[in-house]
Amino acid sequence: MNMGHANRWAAGALVLLLLLAAALRLESQRFDYGHPDEVISIKVAEQVAASGSLDTNWELADLPELFRKPQYNFSAYLLSGAAVLQLKEWSGDANGSTSLHWLRAWSALLGVATVGLTYLAGRQLFGAATGWCAALLVCFFPLLYQDSLYARPETFVSALTLACVSLLAPQRPPFRGGSLAAAFIAGVLIATKFSMVLLLPLLVLSPGLTGTRSLVSWDPPPARPWVNAWNQGKWLLLAVLLGFLAGAPHAIANAGAYLEGIQFLRRQYGTGHWPHGLVDADVVDRLAHAAGYFHATAGWLLPLAIAGALVAARRRQLRALFVFMVALATVVQFSVYPTFFERNLSHVIPLFMIFAAYGLVSLCSAVARRPLIRHGLTAVLLLMVMLPALQTTLTLRFDELPGEPAQRLAALRTSVERRFALPSLRVRWTEHEEDVREAMGHRCDGPMLVELLSAEDARSARLRQLLAERDGLREVARHSSMFSHVPPSTLHVYFTPTTVFLHRPPGAEACRQMAGGLVTAESVGDVLPLVQTTAESAWTPGGAALVTHDAHGSRDFHGSWSGSDALKGRLRMTVSVEGSRFLVLPYITGPRVHRQTIRISDAVTSKVILDSRPPFAPTWRFPFMRLPPGTRSVLIEAMDNGDGWGEWHAIGRPRALKAD
């Protein structure tokens, strides 16, 4: 075959793929969808473009209170967004497009660049066939397509990561100073997201700037390897610093704000953010959760990438294998956090697709020797392995984005409301029973129709069980998400989630007769007689963080914070309840409750009345429980078994119920 002719065909196919990627991404942006973080990109970029200061501190922008904090997260991306908005102003924009439209288009174009750079990096590592197959996989990978829809930094980071790898992958850089350019890009990446420091080991692949070899090589080491490493390393570190300064020029001068932004993210990922991730699970379960997400959305592409890495190891392609290990370390790092945001892995997905393509191409080369048969087999197998990812992407584009699931949900809502002659009460994402009760106005009688969002995980199932047992709310209808087979992710939260309709029939005192409920402070009666209190050192009077009194103005409560989140211990209170049918136990918690426990039992018979973890309560809550007939006194045990940040709770004096 004429190689020049073949290369022209390959180049033409790549151009067509890039045009297809551009059409898919840009055309999708005509639909009505949203992301809660897009306001950050818009407002900060507008502030920078208007002021010309290059200061990307979120505190300076007109952001909602939730985001208007001193921090420099996304800085380099926000500067690029400001440049896009400046271009919008210079162009006159006769169509009157908004900043959101321009920034989303910027993400889409960066998504197209990611496809092209995947081809380039794949070709540098394993050849043109691998590069082309990897580019096709990236074009239709659901997460990367989803990234292209939003005014967020994911496509920016993905494109720069691939540019960095493309400069470092060859044994010899494509131009002199290519290693310095890669280091500069790494600095820009860190200025965008601090977590990009995980990519710094890639700089070990840099060929020597003074004639030395790469630090990673199967060849014998040079005579003085550490001297050579320092000779090239000092210039690489300088380039990283310059890249960081270019991406976040005001961050060093405002180091406190920059570090506060890092702490903000650390708290977010370290304390859990349901339904994203597994708050209480161990490392193995969290890794399985992440693997389950990618398997559900993309089939066997990631296992195929591991197979490609094994082929590289067998063929002693150490440079390529090192790239894979850095990408794998990033996946593990972000998968073991209590909070799992799949978008944090977007920038390494193209690298995995390169190895998946390499594994596929290697298999076909081993099976079929003739070029025509080999190419045909590669095309068939490529289509087979990418089918789950393609199906997820096309479902998102042709079903979810046009709003068809939302229309079906609206029709079901109308039908259920007519059936029970009640308006449905829509409850935001929650895993806590008291949030549902608060949305119901703490009503404990009469009919009720509740519309509850479900992540289809253990926490959602447990919440529905509690609402059925304690509040008489039972499932009467359900609308399943198009992505109900996927573990909880942004596909659920930012699009049409699985929605469950719960109904409570008419009947006075419905939830009171079943167990108890949550009441308002106005429904709480007098304090019950306290027989005895025994408190370990962690539990002190008034020992709650930033809480000076309870909802009734009393300082007579015990808390386990007592000056430090690290304190642990038990509080025991014996209370006389003779003549009372109900017990109200005021409580408040810190941000984390998974190692807090409240146990209530009959002080005489030791029969357990309640033994559970208190639901998260940032303000004083007043749960009441029905006491078994004949109960004369109860033993209340509050246990703090957590020594981490935000792990504490406080108990007020037990009280009667006014209606009792």
Side-chain angles (χ1 to χ4, degrees):
M1 178 183 291
N2 185 289
M3 292 305 297
H5 186 66
N7 289 336
R8 285 194 295 272
W9 272 102
L14 179 62
V15 170
L16 288 177
L17 180 62
L18 294 176
L19 291 175
L20 178 61
L24 176 64
R25 285 155 173 77
L26 290 170
E27 186 273 341
S28 298
Q29 296 186 357
R30 64 188 175 90
F31 296 110
D32 182 21
Y33 60 89
H35 191 296
D37 292 353
E38 286 184 307
V39 65
I40 300 170
S41 303
I42 296 169
K43 295 299 183 180
V44 177
E46 287 179 343
Q47 187 274 330
V48 171
S51 66
S53 69
L54 302 183
D55 192 345
T56 55
N57 191 336
W58 293 16
E59 193 175 31
L60 302 177
D62 184 22
L63 287 169
E65 190 65 27
L66 174 64
F67 298 125
R68 195 171 186 178
K69 311 290 183 184
Q71 56 183 303
Y72 282 88
N73 294 326
F74 310 160
S75 181
Y77 162 74
L78 294 172
L79 288 178
S80 76
V84 169
L85 296 186
Q86 187 63 60
L87 180 62
K88 170 181 179 292
E89 183 178 341
W90 289 340
S91 69
D93 190 21
N95 295 326
S97 300
T98 65
S99 298
L100 177 62
H101 293 145
W102 278 73
L103 292 178
R104 282 181 173 176
W106 176 228
S107 290
L109 293 176
L110 287 169
V112 176
T114 298
V115 176
L117 287 167
T118 299
Y119 167 78
L120 180 60
R123 189 187 69 178
Q124 298 278 31
L125 286 169
F126 300 119
T130 294
W132 202 95
C133 292
L136 182 63
L137 294 175
V138 165
C139 180
F140 293 104
F141 198 91
L143 176 58
L144 301 178
Y145 166 66
Q146 192 180 350
D147 290 341
S148 299
L149 301 177
Y150 303 124
R152 274 189 54 88
E154 278 69 41
T155 53
F156 180 81
V157 169
S158 297
L160 289 185
T161 298
L162 286 164
C164 186
V165 171
S166 297
L167 291 169
L168 294 171
Q171 187 72 33
R172 294 181 179 179
F175 57 89
R176 185 168 180 82
S179 298
L180 287 176
F184 182 87
I185 292 172
V188 174
L189 284 167
I190 295 171
T192 306
K193 289 186 174 184
F194 180 74
S195 58
M196 294 299 109
V197 296
L198 294 172
L199 297 180
L200 283 181
L202 289 175
L203 297 180
V204 175
L205 297 174
S206 304
L209 301 177
T210 57
T212 62
R213 286 189 294 271
S214 166
L215 299 180
V216 174
S217 174
W218 287 111
D219 299 331
R224 303 176 66 189
W226 296 112
V227 173
N228 293 326
W230 169 246
N231 285 337
Q232 64 176 339
K234 62 185 178 183
W235 296 109
L236 293 174
L237 291 176
L238 178 61
V240 171
L241 178 60
L242 291 175
F244 179 84
L245 290 174
H250 287 260
I252 293 181
N254 297 282
Y258 178 74
L259 294 175
E260 175 58 31
I262 297 175
Q263 289 299 316
F264 172 80
L265 293 177
R266 187 187 69 83
R267 290 191 296 268
Q268 182 183 42
Y269 290 108
T271 58
H273 191 71
W274 187 87
H276 302 279
L278 303 176
V279 178
D280 302 327
D282 57 25
V283 169
V284 174
D285 286 338
R286 289 173 182 168
L287 288 172
H289 177 86
Y293 163 80
F294 286 110
H295 179 68
T297 57
W300 294 97
L301 286 177
L302 291 190
L304 185 59
I306 296 175
L310 293 176
V311 173
R314 183 176 181 180
R315 295 177 178 176
R316 300 169 64 87
Q317 295 169 303
L318 184 60
R319 299 176 66 83
L321 186 61
F322 188 75
V323 172
F324 179 84
M325 296 306 295
V326 171
L328 183 62
T330 299
V331 171
V332 172
Q333 176 69 35
F334 280 105
S335 297
V336 299
Y337 285 133
T339 297
F340 174 72
F341 281 123
E342 64 271 26
R343 60 176 178 250
N344 287 318
L345 305 178
S346 295
H347 62 293
V348 296
I349 291 299
L351 301 179
F352 278 97
M353 293 305 97
I354 290 172
F355 281 88
Y358 182 54
L360 184 67
V361 170
S362 299
L363 173 64
C364 294
S365 297
V367 172
R369 297 295 182 182
R370 294 185 177 182
L372 186 61
I373 297 177
R374 183 170 66 249
H375 295 159
L377 180 62
T378 301
V380 171
L381 292 181
L382 182 62
L383 180 60
M384 290 176 60
V385 298
M386 71 178 291
L387 195 58
L390 181 63
Q391 183 178 7
T392 303
T393 296
L394 295 182
T395 297
L396 183 56
R397 163 58 188 85
F398 291 103
D399 197 345
E400 187 65 53
L401 285 177
E404 293 184 13
Q407 294 172 15
R408 292 193 291 268
L409 174 59
L412 178 61
R413 180 184 299 117
T414 300
S415 174
V416 174
E417 289 177 339
R418 288 177 178 174
R419 174 183 168 189
F420 294 102
L422 288 171
S424 65
L425 175 66
R426 304 182 195 181
V427 180
R428 60 179 176 82
W429 280 104
T430 185
E431 57 177 318
H432 301 301
E433 183 184 8
E434 70 272 15
D435 288 339
V436 180
R437 288 174 169 171
E438 185 173 355
M440 294 192 300
H442 303 284
R443 288 181 56 191
C444 203
D445 56 358
M448 184 67 65
L449 182 62
V450 175
E451 187 174 331
L452 190 67
L453 304 180
S454 173
E456 297 298 85
D457 61 351
R459 292 191 170 216
S460 294
R462 181 176 181 273
L463 174 59
R464 292 196 299 273
Q465 180 182 358
L466 289 175
L467 291 173
E469 293 175 352
R470 301 180 182 180
D471 298 271
L473 289 164
R474 302 191 181 279
E475 181 176 337
V476 293
R478 171 186 293 257
H479 177 272
S480 295
S481 164
M482 298 298 298
F483 308 107
S484 57
H485 64 291
V486 181
S489 66
T490 57
L491 287 173
H492 303 84
V493 178
Y494 302 144
F495 297 102
T496 308
T498 293
T499 304
V500 180
F501 291 87
L502 306 174
H503 177 252
R504 183 173 69 201
E509 309 287 318
C511 59
R512 292 191 186 188
Q513 298 301 326
M514 302 190 77
L518 192 70
V519 295
T520 62
E522 292 74 20
S523 300
V524 177
D526 297 331
V527 295
L528 294 170
L530 187 62
V531 178
Q532 184 180 18
T533 299
T534 304
E536 295 182 359
S537 59
W539 289 86
T540 59
L546 304 178
V547 179
T548 58
H549 52 78
D550 65 16
H552 295 88
S554 172
R555 298 177 182 271
D556 191 7
F557 66 89
H558 281 72
S560 65
W561 178 69
S562 304
S564 172
D565 294 319
L567 297 177
K568 298 190 294 184
R570 181 191 303 260
L571 170 72
R572 296 166 61 93
M573 304 170 65
T574 304
V575 180
S576 174
V577 295
E578 193 166 2
S580 298
R581 292 186 302 158
F582 298 98
L583 170 73
V584 179
L585 184 63
Y587 82 98
I588 190 171
T589 74
R592 304 181 70 182
V593 297
H594 65 283
R595 289 191 285 185
Q596 312 296 304
T597 305
I598 295 177
R599 178 187 175 96
I600 302 176
S601 59
D602 189 310
V604 177
T605 66
S606 298
K607 182 179 180 180
V608 176
I609 301 172
L610 173 73
D611 188 358
S612 70
R613 179 180 64 204
F616 170 63
T619 59
W620 284 100
R621 300 290 172 87
F622 303 94
F624 72 92
M625 57 218 70
R626 188 178 184 85
L627 298 171
T631 305
R632 302 177 62 182
S633 61
V634 296
L635 173 62
I636 300 171
E637 297 175 276
M639 289 159 280
D640 183 344
N641 297 313
D643 56 2
W645 176 85
E647 292 186 310
W648 61 267
H649 68 288
I651 300 295
R653 282 286 300 274
R655 293 174 176 264
L657 190 66
K658 281 185 179 180
D660 191 5

